[in-house]
Amino acid sequence: MLRWVVIFLIVALVASVFGFFGVASAAVGIAKLIFFIAVVGFVISLVMHLLSGRRP
């Protein structure tokens, strides 16, 4: 999932260099959205692991 964030950030950088500011802002917005979804997924996974109560 974080690979998509990097891809959209690269697309945004390339688009901004060539002057496609609308495409660049859309790509940055998508990258931010995917990044925050990944962070929320990580936090939920971490909490579920801590609450699972698995003891050796």
Side-chain angles (χ1 to χ4, degrees):
M1 185 177 280
L2 291 178
R3 180 174 43 173
W4 285 104
V5 172
V6 173
I7 290 171
F8 278 110
L9 284 176
I10 291 172
V11 168
L13 289 173
V14 171
S16 67
V17 166
F18 290 118
F20 299 113
F21 295 109
V23 175
S25 65
V28 168
I30 292 170
K32 283 182 184 178
L33 178 69
I34 294 173
F35 175 75
F36 287 124
I37 290 172
V39 169
V40 168
F42 171 73
V43 169
I44 289 172
S45 174
L46 184 65
V47 168
M48 293 301 290
H49 178 72
L50 292 174
L51 294 178
S52 68
R54 291 179 46 188
R55 304 278 192 284

